[in-house]
Amino acid sequence: MFQFNSHFKNILLIILLAFSVTTYSQKKKVEKKKVPVPKWKIHGRFTFLFNQSAFSNWAAGGQNTVAGNFNVNYDFNYKKNNWNWDSRLITGYGLSYFTDKGYRKTNDRFEFNSLVGLKSSNYWFFSFFTNLRTQYTRGFDYSKTPERSVSDFLSPAYLSFGPGMLWKKSDDLNINVAPATTRLTFVNDMFSGKFGVEEGENTALSLGFNLAAYYKTGLMTNVEMENILTIYSDYLDNPQNIDVEYQANIRFKVNKSLKMHITFHTIFDDNASGKVQYRELFGLGVNYSFHEKVTY
């Protein structure tokens, strides 16, 4: 009978180990390839927040109020080969009713973002972005007597677009830098001379630097935080005056349909206001996904 010497045994053992590792690696590669990458991911979410307070013979005083606020977020994510296209619609409207003051607007927003990227290496993409921001109805400054109109439908409206570079780790973490961003500001005749538009004009053109960042993370079980940051500097008009907009949304999931929602929203824009604008919203909301689809 043929006898294996120790040297031959060692060689055979090495060959078997190498074959096992190679087979395992190939198996892992095959398994990785089997994981499908979604071509389309679509998610539409509707949230309604309701607040109410009532007083009757309350010694400390108080004012009866009813407030409602709705928000719609619609996300479209497309991936194919080296192409990446993310679009997001963010819109909301809110009203409060005070017994002695009537209705007051608490939220009014329409924003559409579109970002197309062609992969260059790793997480980097050549990109082109488009952003449109405005509001639906007329807004007032109630601190003045009589109240003063400060905005209207499409007045102001901001349209920004330009090429840049996108760093995208995932759909929940990305930063886009666009150093040659064109921004158009639109106003109606009533607001001509405001929001950076010359007196007698209805539009203003600017060229500047734009940075947009998005980050969503889980803080703990059933609690997530969404961060949206935009920075803009106009090369043609006081580039040292940087416009900053930051919004943080914290969502506490109660169950599939109910969520506690907190929003912190701040804006600094010299052309709109010399002061820091700040908005805070808190409430229990009904959450409903009206369109959720994944296509491979």
Side-chain angles (χ1 to χ4, degrees), residues 21-294:
V21 170
T22 304
T23 305
Y24 179 71
S25 300
Q26 288 177 345
K27 187 178 179 183
K28 283 195 77 178
K29 285 180 182 178
V30 170
E31 287 176 352
K32 269 190 172 181
K33 287 181 180 178
K34 285 183 179 178
V35 177
V37 177
K39 183 183 291 185
W40 278 103
K41 286 172 62 179
I42 301 172
H43 192 191
R45 301 178 301 281
F46 172 84
T47 304
F48 179 74
L49 301 177
F50 178 77
N51 304 88
Q52 186 264 342
S53 60
F55 302 88
S56 179
N57 301 318
W58 191 253
Q63 189 174 60
N64 296 343
T65 61
V66 177
N69 188 94
F70 80 87
N71 293 280
V72 175
N73 281 26
Y74 218 159
D75 293 315
F76 301 85
N77 303 109
Y78 175 80
K79 294 181 181 69
K80 186 175 181 181
N81 300 327
N82 291 325
W83 288 96
N84 184 91
W85 182 23
D86 297 326
S87 296
R88 170 173 293 145
L89 173 65
I90 305 171
T91 185
Y93 196 80
L95 288 173
S96 289
Y97 178 78
F98 299 87
T99 50
D100 62 340
K101 296 178 181 178
Y103 290 98
R104 298 285 178 89
K105 184 167 65 170
T106 56
N107 185 28
D108 189 359
R109 184 184 186 192
F110 176 91
E111 181 171 353
F112 177 75
N113 294 283
S114 182
L115 180 60
V116 178
L118 176 62
K119 192 170 186 178
S120 59
S121 62
N122 295 328
Y123 302 122
W124 287 97
F125 296 77
F126 298 107
S127 66
F128 190 92
F129 89 99
T130 304
N131 172 270
L132 173 64
R133 290 189 294 121
T134 187
Q135 60 284 315
Y136 292 103
T137 61
R138 183 169 295 184
F140 296 92
D141 180 359
Y142 294 104
S143 65
K144 308 292 182 181
T145 304
E147 60 195 35
R148 182 169 59 91
S149 178
V150 294
S151 64
D152 206 343
F153 175 62
L154 292 178
S155 188
Y158 302 98
L159 176 62
S160 305
F161 53 90
M165 290 296 295
L166 167 68
W167 182 83
K168 183 175 182 179
K169 182 71 178 290
S170 68
D171 289 339
D172 294 332
L173 175 59
N174 57 77
I175 300 172
N176 187 68
V177 178
T181 296
T182 300
R183 174 184 282 186
L184 292 167
T185 304
F186 304 91
V187 296
N188 60 24
D189 291 340
M190 180 186 296
F191 296 100
S192 182
K194 298 180 180 179
F195 302 105
V197 179
E198 294 288 338
E199 188 72 42
E201 300 291 331
N202 297 108
T203 60
L205 173 67
S206 62
L207 178 68
F209 172 88
N210 190 88
L211 181 146
Y214 179 83
Y215 178 49
K216 185 170 72 173
T217 184
L219 299 179
M220 58 184 71
T221 304
N222 293 332
V223 181
E224 69 175 18
M225 183 177 186
E226 182 181 53
N227 300 272
I228 305 169
L229 173 68
T230 303
I231 297 173
Y232 180 77
S233 173
D234 184 1
Y235 299 141
L236 308 179
D237 183 22
N238 298 320
Q240 72 279 6
N241 293 341
I242 300 174
D243 299 342
V244 179
E245 180 174 0
Y246 172 69
Q247 181 170 335
N249 299 306
I250 304 175
R251 304 182 183 97
F252 304 81
K253 184 178 180 181
V254 180
N255 55 39
K256 185 177 180 180
S257 300
L258 293 177
K259 282 187 179 180
M260 296 289 289
H261 189 103
I262 302 175
T263 293
F264 301 98
H265 191 183
T266 185
I267 299 174
F268 183 77
D269 183 349
D270 264 355
N271 292 324
S273 173
K275 300 178 180 179
V276 176
Q277 304 172 59
Y278 178 76
R279 180 175 69 93
E280 182 267 332
L281 177 67
F282 174 78
L284 177 65
V286 178
N287 189 74
Y288 175 66
S289 292
F290 58 87
H291 188 191
E292 193 167 5
K293 184 177 181 180
V294 178

